[in-house]
Amino acid sequence: MSMGPGFGAGRGMMPGTGLVRHGAEGDADKKLPKGLVARVWREVGRPYSGKLAQLVLAISVASVLVVLPAKLIEPIVNALSSRGPESGSIVLRYSLGLILVAFAAAAASLWQRWLSSWIGEELIYDLRARLYDHVQRMPLAFFTRTQTGALISRLNNDVIGAQRALTGTFGTLAANIVQVVAAVGFMFAIEWRLTLLTLSVLPGFIWLAKGVGRKLQALTRESMQLNADMNTVMTERFNVAGAQLVKLFGRPEEERENFAGSAKRVADIGVRSALVGRMFFVTLSLVGALGTAVVYLVGGRLALGGSLEAGGVVAFAALVTQAYQPLAALANAPVEVLTALVSFDRVFEVLDLRHPIADKPGAVELREPTGHVVFDDVVFAYPTARESSLASLEKGWAELLDTRPGPIVLRGVSFQARPGQTIALVGPSGAGKSTITALVPRLYDVSAGAIRIDGHDIRDLTLASLSAAVGVVSQDPHLFHDTIRANLRYVRPQATDAQIVAACRAAQIHDVISSLRDGYDTIVGERGYRMSGGEKQRLSIARVLLKDPAVVILDEATAHLDSENEVLVQEALATALAGRTSLVIAHRLSTIVRADVILVVQDGRIVQQGTHDELVRGGGLYAELYRTQFAGT
């Protein structure tokens, strides 16, 4: 399989290994990609530019109104100190001003909150919708490697983190800038020498804030990954199949200890983050208190000397408190922004995954398919990890993804299934039978050669029209945790109730459904675990009948059924296959004997083909399989 340009012993490649190093999610020092801020603005900020401008205005107004009361206090204190004839009116006038500022600040705060909430919720909606659409279009190889919990974490935790970054971190940054400018401006207006003195501690703030910010960024990234790993564990253990496996073979104490260990690490990180943040806050408060003391000490001497009024000292002390906190935050702003951008980076990392199986430019629709399927010298090897996965979504904070192609599974497979024919695939386990059937609906793409339906290379067809033409009944059909009706209608949303009932009658399952208390509105449970194996198979057949495809693929559809269920499923299959081209993987003699052509697959090659009688008479692998597996049935 060609790996395309860019692969080899280049940058990021570990020579001689075929492994590409990706920055691990757990690596606290992982650098964010260049141009991330510009991309955040282009893809996230620009669509909301109008509302963001209003948000910045609301934040600016609210920030100025936070600082303004300190300035309004100055004439009140001066009037009280002088006790002049105008003192009463001055106190009244500026007190009313304080009340008006309070109402204005409340209104600006509500305006700011509404804008922030609207932008945040719309952003969450957009990112989740984009991520979900992008991920569900990924090929099957992606899902065979990816941790489900880690993927869910991207759609939940990281999307929310990105929203908080846009409306929280960046909003706070704007508020701090405005508040500092307003506070320092008022301070210079009162006494420029005292202002320079109070700003002299800023370098210490910068040094302290950067150190704390780097530590918090590392802790944030580690916490995100640990939470993603816990999501994966819960997803695997809490679905029905996982829960059953744990109960049958698991060790509850070990399960509890392993999960508790992960949860404890998250708790420890939370404590460390809180402690680091509190230490910074305590230090900031201490410096602020010392700054206030210095203001009263130096400002008081200036007031006693007559170069500053008492109201100026009081107002200046209030302004110092309102300037120090945003100044410290601004000193740490670069690290805070980088920490906030981690969530955007994790979201974009998934959105940037290429869709290797997608509609090519100019893809055509397959109209009124007849089901003529041709395999033309097909060669297939499963895609490399690098082509089908993302390091950060794999187990254990994987840093390395293998770029070496997998072993060749199919070698020059050629055959054709004419419209309406039933082609049976038999052979040892691992011979490549399921791989052959997986290539028809393009769950994977061929490495070489071609597969054609009605003369069209399936890579030239739209995925939607190809999907409509192919129906699959697997060995363990999947049902969503929903009603029977919803599961059936999934393949044909516009299907009427009458069409659903007709499909179920043909699949020999209608009577079973009718006997249920809620009928077609019965919830089947996760993966359909409330239904028996035979019932799930017949529901799967009804689903295919409702879809009405030209090509039907049966992958061991009757492998694990008892005799009674097998009879019912075989009757349903007879209806499902009538007039349709079918590719059947089966070990049951009854299915194989009726096939128009039997293909014997061994080591990725078709080593024999013919009818049942021809192959039995001809000897070879099929005759051997027949004698050892089927002769006693």
Side-chain angles (χ1 to χ4, degrees):
M1 175 185 291
S2 173
M3 292 183 292
F7 290 89
R11 180 181 178 184
M13 189 75 165
M14 299 185 68
T17 65
L19 300 176
V20 170
R21 180 177 295 279
H22 283 201
E25 297 263 347
D27 184 1
D29 297 323
K30 177 185 175 183
K31 294 183 178 179
L32 296 174
K34 293 181 179 179
L36 179 60
V37 174
R39 182 177 181 184
V40 169
W41 170 250
R42 184 175 64 253
E43 297 193 24
V44 179
R46 188 176 295 167
Y48 305 103
S49 56
K51 284 289 192 297
L52 283 172
Q54 293 183 49
L55 180 60
V56 170
L57 178 60
I59 289 172
S60 301
V61 171
S63 300
V64 171
L65 292 175
V66 167
V67 176
L68 189 56
K71 184 61 177 173
L72 295 178
I73 289 173
E74 181 180 3
I76 294 175
V77 174
N78 289 335
L80 293 174
S81 300
S82 65
R83 297 184 181 181
E86 299 294 326
S87 295
S89 62
I90 291 174
V91 171
L92 177 61
R93 184 164 62 250
Y94 282 96
S95 296
L96 291 174
L98 287 172
I99 295 173
L100 290 176
V101 167
F103 276 102
S109 177
L110 289 173
W111 181 30
Q112 174 186 338
R113 181 57 180 162
W114 178 81
L115 288 169
S116 176
S117 299
W118 187 91
I119 294 170
E121 294 303 322
E122 286 295 312
L123 175 63
I124 289 175
Y125 162 74
D126 286 345
L127 286 181
R128 277 183 176 161
R130 286 177 61 190
L131 273 173
Y132 184 86
D133 180 64
H134 188 85
V135 169
Q136 58 102 15
R137 295 177 187 274
M138 292 300 294
L140 189 61
F142 171 78
F143 297 98
T144 62
R145 300 185 61 94
T146 299
Q147 295 183 97
T148 304
L151 201 53
I152 292 174
S153 179
R154 299 295 172 100
L155 271 78
N156 288 327
N157 301 344
D158 293 315
V159 166
I160 293 174
Q163 174 258 333
R164 288 174 178 168
L166 186 65
T167 61
T169 302
F170 299 138
T172 302
L173 180 62
N176 288 334
I177 291 173
V178 174
Q179 188 171 332
V180 165
V181 170
V184 173
F186 286 141
M187 288 163 63
F188 269 110
I190 295 172
E191 170 53 57
W192 67 272
R193 292 168 296 180
L194 199 54
T195 301
L196 293 178
L197 177 62
T198 55
L199 293 180
S200 63
V201 299
L202 186 58
F205 273 4
I206 294 174
W207 176 81
L208 178 63
K210 283 188 175 180
V212 171
R214 282 193 296 268
K215 185 65 175 177
L216 288 176
Q217 180 186 3
L219 292 173
T220 299
R221 187 180 289 276
E222 186 177 356
S223 177
M224 284 179 173
Q225 182 59 44
L226 285 170
N227 276 293
D229 287 348
M230 284 199 302
N231 283 343
T232 296
V233 172
M234 288 187 287
T235 301
E236 290 179 343
R237 267 60 170 185
F238 290 170
N239 66 62
V240 177
Q244 178 175 306
L245 182 64
V246 169
K247 289 183 180 299
L248 292 175
F249 302 104
R251 297 171 294 278
E253 289 301 319
E254 185 175 326
E255 287 284 341
R256 183 190 64 79
E257 290 176 5
N258 289 339
F259 185 81
S262 297
K264 185 64 169 64
R265 289 196 295 273
V266 173
D268 290 342
I269 289 175
V271 172
R272 287 160 59 194
S273 299
L275 186 59
V276 170
R278 177 54 62 176
M279 289 176 62
F280 179 66
F281 177 78
V282 168
T283 305
L284 177 63
S285 299
L286 181 60
V287 173
L290 292 174
T292 303
V294 170
V295 167
Y296 280 116
L297 176 63
V298 178
R301 295 180 64 86
L302 292 173
L304 290 172
S307 60
L308 185 63
E309 293 185 284
V313 176
V314 175
F316 201 99
L319 289 168
V320 165
T321 303
Q322 294 175 349
Y324 272 173
Q325 186 171 353
L327 273 173
L330 286 175
N332 190 44
V335 179
E336 281 194 358
V337 169
L338 287 176
T339 301
L341 288 174
V342 167
S343 291
F344 278 111
D345 181 37
R346 286 163 61 89
V347 170
F348 290 151
E349 192 177 34
V350 177
L351 289 175
D352 287 342
L353 284 170
R354 185 177 65 90
H355 286 149
I357 299 178
D359 288 346
K360 65 185 297 185
V364 299
E365 289 193 5
L366 181 61
R367 299 182 182 277
E368 298 181 0
T370 63
H372 187 189
V373 179
V374 175
F375 273 60
D376 185 4
D377 199 24
V378 168
V379 176
F380 176 74
Y382 282 100
T384 67
R386 179 66 179 85
E387 293 172 320
S388 59
S389 187
L390 183 65
S392 57
L393 292 175
E394 297 210 9
K395 182 69 174 175
W397 301 356
E399 291 189 49
L400 305 175
L401 284 181
D402 201 337
T403 62
R404 294 169 295 191
I408 295 177
V409 180
L410 299 180
R411 308 166 185 271
V413 172
S414 297
F415 69 89
Q416 67 173 319
R418 300 185 183 281
Q421 276 192 326
T422 295
I423 308 296
L425 301 171
V426 300
S429 178
K433 305 184 297 296
S434 293
T435 302
I436 289 173
T437 59
L439 295 176
V440 177
R442 286 192 75 188
L443 298 182
Y444 300 92
D445 267 342
V446 300
S447 305
I451 300 174
R452 299 183 179 86
I453 294 183
D454 293 355
H456 299 280
D457 188 319
I458 60 174
R459 292 168 292 188
D460 296 331
L461 298 171
T462 63
L463 287 171
S465 65
L466 177 62
S467 175
V470 180
V472 179
V473 180
S474 62
Q475 180 176 342
D476 183 20
H478 186 89
L479 298 175
F480 295 117
H481 186 74
D482 208 333
T483 64
I484 292 174
R485 191 190 314 277
N487 272 282
L488 294 172
R489 196 167 272 157
Y490 182 78
V491 299
R492 190 177 174 187
Q494 72 278 13
T496 65
D497 287 346
Q499 290 170 327
I500 291 174
V501 170
C504 289
R505 288 187 184 278
Q508 307 290 322
I509 192 64
H510 173 71
D511 291 343
V512 173
I513 297 172
S514 298
S515 67
L516 299 174
R517 185 182 63 181
D518 296 323
Y520 283 85
D521 294 320
T522 299
I523 301 293
V524 300
E526 186 173 353
R527 296 187 63 188
Y529 266 88
R530 294 180 63 186
M531 313 295 289
S532 71
E535 290 166 351
K536 284 200 296 183
Q537 287 289 13
R538 281 176 280 163
L539 281 174
S540 179
I541 294 168
R543 195 161 53 185
V544 167
L545 289 170
L546 201 61
K547 185 178 184 180
D548 193 22
V551 179
V552 175
I553 294 171
L554 305 179
D555 189 353
E556 302 283 9
T558 61
H560 302 306
L561 301 180
D562 55 40
S563 299
E564 181 180 355
N565 271 307
E566 183 187 359
V567 171
L568 293 171
V569 171
Q570 288 288 4
E571 291 177 0
L573 286 175
T575 303
L577 301 183
R580 296 180 173 89
T581 305
S582 55
L583 302 179
V584 180
I585 301 174
H587 289 149
R588 303 280 187 170
L589 179 64
S590 54
T591 304
I592 295 173
V593 169
R594 293 198 299 265
D596 297 298
V597 178
I598 299 172
L599 305 178
V600 183
V601 185
Q602 184 177 29
D603 296 329
R605 302 179 187 275
I606 296 177
V607 295
Q608 290 180 287
Q609 60 180 309
T611 64
H612 170 73
D613 292 336
E614 291 170 347
L615 292 174
V616 170
R617 289 195 303 268
L621 179 59
Y622 182 82
E624 181 181 344
L625 290 172
Y626 173 70
R627 286 193 301 270
T628 58
Q629 298 181 29
F630 307 137
T633 59

